[in-house]
Each structure stands twice: as C-alpha cells, then as structure tokens.
Amino acid sequence: MAKYDVAIIGSGPGGYVAAIRAGELGLKTIVVEKDGFLGGTCLHVGCIPTKVLLHHAEIYENFKNAAEFGFDVTGLKVNWANTLARKDKIVKKHSKGIEFLFKKNKVEWLQGWGRYAGPGRVTVEKDGKKTDLEAANVLLVSGSEARSLPGVEPDGKIILTNREILQLPEIPKSLIVVGAGAVGVEFASIFQSFGTQVTILEMLPRVVPIEDEEISAELDKTFRKKGIQIFTESKVEAVKQDSKGVTVSFRHKDGNVQTLQAEKLLLAVGRKPMTANCGLENSKARVERDFVHVGPYMETDEKGLYAIGDIVAGLPQLAHAAMMEGITAVTHIAGKPVPPIVKTRIPNATYCEPQIGSVGLTEKQARDAGRQVKVGKFPFVGNSKATILGSHGGFIKVVSDEKYGEVLGVHIIGPLATETIAEAVTVLQLEGTVDDMMAMIHAHPTVWEAMGDAFASVRGLQINV
Ligand SMILES: Cc1cc2nc3c(=O)[nH]c(=O)nc-3n(C[C@H](O)[C@H](O)[C@H](O)COP(=O)(O)OP(=O)(O)OC[C@H]3O[C@@H](n4cnc5c(N)ncnc54)[C@H](O)[C@@H]3O)c2cc1C
C-alpha cells in the first residue's frame, strides 16, 4: 500500500495550495480528486470564470462610454461565443498550471472519490475499483455546491446555478437572481452590463448583507440607477416554469405577494458543504449542518484529520481563506511555527461594478462588541485617478478604535476596491493605527492614495474633500 505524509481529498484552492506547500516542505503528498481535472469550484465554476466575465463586462462598459474618452465607436457588438471561449481557455490554462506545479513539487494526484477510512487511511473509488492509501495526516477539502430553495429544482436550462449560467449559449433577455450575496450581485452585474434585464430578490433587508450597512446602501443605489430591479425582505414562495421561462411568486415583509416573469432564474442562495459520503462517520470530527468544526490549526476532533475550505464551520467560504487554511494545516503538520487563522483578517472581495473590498469589523459589529468607535469616510469623487478612470462613485470607510486609533475595519466601494483593500489587510495584520497610516506616503496619482485621505478623515484631516 502506498504511504504518504499527507493525503488531501479535493483539489480546489484549499487542496491544491495545501498540496504545493506540503511538497515545498518536503512532505510526501497525494491529492485525491473526483473530477478529471484540478482546481475545484474556484477555478472551474467560481472565482476565475466569473472574474473573466466581469472583466469582459467592464471592457464592454468602457466601449459603451467611448465618447467620454474621445472615441467614436460604431457597430459595437458582443461576441458571446468568443467571450465564453476566452473564459474556457483561461480556466484550462490554469488547471494545467496546477498540474505543472504538482509535478514541480513532487505532489502525486489520483482521480476518484476519496473517503476517510479511519486513522491514517483513505480509500479512493473510481469506476467500481477501490484503492487504499496510508497517510499519517488527511486533509478533507471537499468544497461546496449551490444550495437550492425548498421545492425548487435547478434544471440547468431555465433554473440555473453558478455552473450552468457560465455556459449559457446566449445572453438572456431577462434574469431573476435569487440571493444578493457576492455570487448573486456579481452575476447581476455581469448580465446587466451585457444587456439583460436583471431583477434581484433578497430575503434579508439589504444587498450584500455581510458588508457594512453603508456599503450595502451604496451598492443598492448604484444598481438601481443602472436599471437593476431590487426587492429586499422578499421571500420566494413559488417558482413555475413555462414556455416563456419562469414565473416567481414572492412575499414582501408587509405580506403582499408579487409575481415576476423572466427567461432565466439564478439560484444564488448560499453554498452547501459537500461532506456527505466522505467518511467523517469513521472519525470523531464534530459535524454540524454538514460543516466541520476545527481547532486553531484546522485539525478536527480526530487527531491527524484536518478540514479546510468551504466545509469549515465558522469561517467564510472564500478561496483565499481556504488557501491560507491549507497552508496553516500543512505547516503545522510539518512541525513548523505558523499563526492560526484570525477570522477578522480575512478580506471580502466582491467584483461587481462597483467593486467592494472589506476587512475587519463593520461599524455595527465594532459598536456591538462594545468598542468606542471613530469612523472616517472619504469619497472617490475627491480622488483624481478615479476621475481619470471615469469611475468616481463610492467611498472608503475606516472604522477605528476611538482611544488608540487602532484600525478595526476598512470598507471600500468603488474603483479597484478589490485591489486597494490590500493596504487595509496589511494594517490589520500588523495591528497598525490610523496615525501610522496617515504618515504613510501614497503614490500620486493613484486610486490607492484615497486610503491616505480615508485614514486622515478619522482625524478630520483629509486633504482632497
Ligand atoms: C460563482 C462563484 C464565484 C466565486 N468567486 C469567488 C471569488 O472571486 N473569490 C473567492 O475568494 N471565492 C469565490 N468563490 C468561492 C470559492 O469558489 C470557494 O470558497 C472555494 O472554491 C473553496 O475552495 P475549496 O478548496 O474548499 O473547495 P472547492 O473549490 O469546491 O473544491 C473542492 C474539490 O473537491 C472535490 N471533491 C469533493 N468531494 C470529493 C471526494 N469525496 N473525493 C475527491 N474529490 C472530491 C471537488 O470535485 C472539487 O474539485 C466563488 C464561488 C462561486 C460559486
């Protein structure tokens, strides 16, 4: 029987990054993947393909605004087939890239369904054939799949999940997006840009409900201005398919029931951890509503069994969280020092237009935690590079501790927010203060320099507004 230091079930961002780092640390490593390709949800039907489409949508928006930049553009048309082909090419390239990195770091991989089979053992099943592996440590990184609504079955043609919507042969004329989290608002943004009439239905009182309330309000305002219809506090009651597409009945908070009709419907109501049939019943791991509980180094209650990524209880379902969790686990296994994951230092990045980047506590969370809070806010309208880009909506909001100026959270909506948030993540990681950041020199003219103004605004010393 083949013997390994680490066996990893799942090759998504949690699994493949853990495998590469394990290889770098000299651990004999194998990855078990049910699909015939590497990369998981993120690379094939998540982060990467959606960001390709969002980038294409941004280019298209720029063409539509060509006159503002001094160009006369006529006959502008979307070639959807080429757009999808470029997306698929990028996905394939990066999937091959993971294979290359596995080879480079002596990581083996085996196709099949992996299952934890008790301490130090993993079984792999493919086409009725069973392979047994021995591994001192096992990482379960089996990821997640789209949740549905009670009584609603995605058929892949009219009622879609993130998988099928990435392969639509044509841009739909109308689309109802159920759920206004990151996945929902990203698809809403993509298809609105490409000319689809988009309606968002959200059960909670606001869009992007995990973000700071002011960020939600700004996105809501901007989306409505673009023509996206939004219904919050609205619960879907029935979904019926017919020859024209789909009819959705939903109930408002006030009790009124309304119906909407569209060509397609996207379910973006959260992700269910894929922990069934992975052998967790052969372990002491604590599983709650399919999520697995872990300790500071991602180890479950079963010694030598780790859980990483979208299946972990209490941590966000994000690719970069999964990556760092994987690194933390294998570094711990290699006996090297590694800090545990701190939830409040995991950034959120939502790539709709306008983009959102955030890290740390929202204003409400900070106040609810009993902190004395001082808030600063700087609008991009005062930033010259944002004006050059023709994108000066939105703002940066800094939440800090009133007494010591410690930065508790930063919330950005506007141009390049998913990049600019990097500075805020660094401040939180290094436990910096507003005053440290006010003394930092930001290059001019950049969108990033708006951070300097945002930190200074906490002290009422912003320059550009
Ligand atoms: C539309 C969409 C857009 C997203 N965009 C972003 C984004 O921009 N940024 C971001 O940070 N996050 C994004 N996410 C979330 C991100 O995709 C996930 O957080 C991330 O993929 C989780 O990584 P993972 O390794 O835990 O699981 P996954 O990526 O889901 O990978 C799990 C892997 O395990 C395999 N597997 C499952 N069970 C078994 C088994 N028993 N045996 C063998 N193999 C198995 C699966 O085939 C899969 O390859 C997005 C998600 C969606 C749906």
Side-chain angles (χ1 to χ4, degrees):
M1 196 192 301
K3 282 190 182 175
Y4 297 89
D5 297 315
V6 185
I8 299 174
I9 301 174
S11 75
Y16 81 74
V17 168
I20 292 166
R21 179 55 56 87
E24 286 170 338
L25 293 173
L27 299 169
K28 190 168 161 56
T29 304
I30 186 162
V31 172
V32 179
E33 169 55 58
K34 70 174 169 56
D35 292 334
F37 43 80
L38 302 172
T41 304
C42 174
L43 178 52
H44 295 274
V45 288
C47 327
I48 302 301
T50 51
K51 265 80 265 179
V52 176
L53 296 185
L54 280 155
H55 182 59
H56 286 220
E58 188 186 337
I59 294 172
Y60 188 46
E61 290 292 346
N62 280 332
F63 275 121
K64 286 195 265 179
N65 294 330
E68 187 189 334
F69 299 102
F71 300 104
D72 293 330
V73 174
T74 50
L76 181 63
K77 250 175 45 194
V78 180
N79 186 326
W80 186 240
N82 283 1
T83 297
L84 295 187
R86 182 164 185 271
K87 162 183 76 67
D88 293 342
K89 198 169 136 195
I90 290 168
V91 167
K92 209 167 168 186
K93 172 176 180 266
H94 284 271
S95 190
K96 288 281 162 211
I98 300 172
E99 277 185 38
F100 164 79
L101 291 170
F102 275 11
K103 270 198 199 113
K104 184 179 161 207
N105 291 290
K106 299 192 174 59
V107 173
E108 294 173 39
W109 82 279
L110 182 64
Q111 192 187 347
W113 183 269
R115 211 174 268 122
Y116 182 72
R121 285 185 299 127
V122 168
T123 59
V124 184
E125 233 177 297
K126 182 165 186 285
D127 305 330
K129 201 178 139 239
K130 222 166 156 190
T131 310
D132 293 316
L133 304 174
E134 229 176 78
N137 300 279
V138 178
L139 269 59
L140 183 63
V141 203
S142 46
S144 63
E145 59 191 353
R147 282 190 196 279
S148 192
L149 292 168
V152 182
E153 257 319 295
D155 69 338
K157 291 193 171 68
I158 306 287
I159 302 175
L160 314 169
T161 70
N162 60 299
R163 289 180 174 277
E164 305 85 24
I165 197 165
L166 288 164
Q167 301 294 349
L168 286 180
E170 279 167 23
I171 298 166
K173 288 195 177 49
S174 51
L175 171 71
I176 295 171
V177 176
V178 187
V183 171
V185 299
E186 286 188 359
F187 279 114
S189 190
I190 291 168
F191 285 98
Q192 189 277 331
S193 285
F194 285 124
T196 305
Q197 174 57 56
V198 177
T199 304
I200 296 177
L201 295 179
E202 169 58 53
M203 203 170 77
L204 294 172
R206 54 196 178 95
V207 295
V208 284
I210 63 161
E211 297 292 346
D212 189 276
E213 287 175 22
E214 289 191 67
I215 298 280
S216 295
E218 181 73 14
L219 184 68
D220 189 289
K221 187 181 82 186
T222 317
F223 266 17
R224 286 181 198 270
K225 222 163 130 189
K226 288 169 174 227
I228 296 177
Q229 279 196 93
I230 302 174
F231 296 92
T232 51
E233 298 185 277
S234 296
K235 193 168 175 222
V236 171
E237 297 222 315
V239 176
K240 281 201 196 93
Q241 277 180 247
D242 52 41
S243 57
K244 287 200 216 126
V246 68
T247 303
V248 178
S249 312
F250 61 97
R251 186 180 292 273
H252 291 282
K253 193 182 161 204
D254 61 14
N256 279 345
V257 176
Q258 198 172 334
T259 57
L260 283 174
Q261 209 278 327
E263 210 179 295
K264 309 277 181 197
L265 178 136
L266 172 70
L267 288 165
V269 291
R271 310 272 308 164
K272 179 179 154 35
M274 297 211 290
T275 43
N277 207 11
C278 288
L280 284 170
E281 64 283 2
N282 302 317
S283 77
K284 296 193 195 85
R286 199 152 50 91
V287 183
E288 196 182 336
R289 294 184 309 118
D290 297 318
F291 286 99
V292 186
H293 286 272
V294 294
Y297 301 103
M298 312 310 297
E299 198 168 16
T300 67
D301 289 355
E302 171 97 346
K303 203 171 161 20
L305 175 64
Y306 294 73
I308 308 292
D310 280 8
I311 65 169
V312 175
L315 287 175
Q317 291 180 307
L318 291 168
H320 45 274
M323 290 174 183
M324 192 50 78
E325 289 161 23
I327 288 174
T328 303
V330 294
T331 311
H332 179 68
I333 289 167
K336 302 213 180 301
V338 61
I341 301 281
V342 179
K343 190 176 169 182
T344 50
R345 291 185 191 157
I346 302 172
N348 290 307
T350 306
Y351 302 74
C352 53
E353 177 50 46
Q355 292 191 356
I356 299 168
S358 67
V359 65
L361 301 179
T362 65
E363 184 178 349
K364 183 170 185 310
Q365 283 166 344
R367 292 193 193 282
D368 288 353
R371 307 289 298 239
Q372 295 299 308
V373 169
K374 193 130 200 283
V375 170
K377 210 168 143 188
F378 179 75
F380 283 109
V381 76
N383 176 268
S384 50
K385 185 63 189 282
T387 312
I388 294 167
L389 296 178
S391 173
H392 47 222
F395 56 84
I396 303 176
K397 175 172 175 178
V398 175
V399 179
S400 70
D401 174 86
E402 186 167 31
K403 192 163 175 200
Y404 301 107
E406 183 191 352
V407 179
L408 303 175
V410 175
H411 310 274
I412 312 176
I413 181 163
L416 304 181
T418 57
E419 303 286 340
T420 309
I421 195 64
E423 177 171 311
V425 180
T426 313
V427 188
L428 262 77
Q429 181 75 12
L430 301 177
E431 298 177 0
T433 66
V434 162
D435 307 282
D436 294 329
M437 299 316 289
M438 281 173 67
M440 194 173 115
I441 301 170
H442 294 83
H444 174 74
T446 56
V447 170
W448 159 59
E449 71 180 315
M451 290 294 291
D453 267 317
F455 287 118
S457 72
V458 175
R459 302 278 181 239
L461 293 173
Q462 66 279 16
I463 301 293
N464 292 298
V465 75

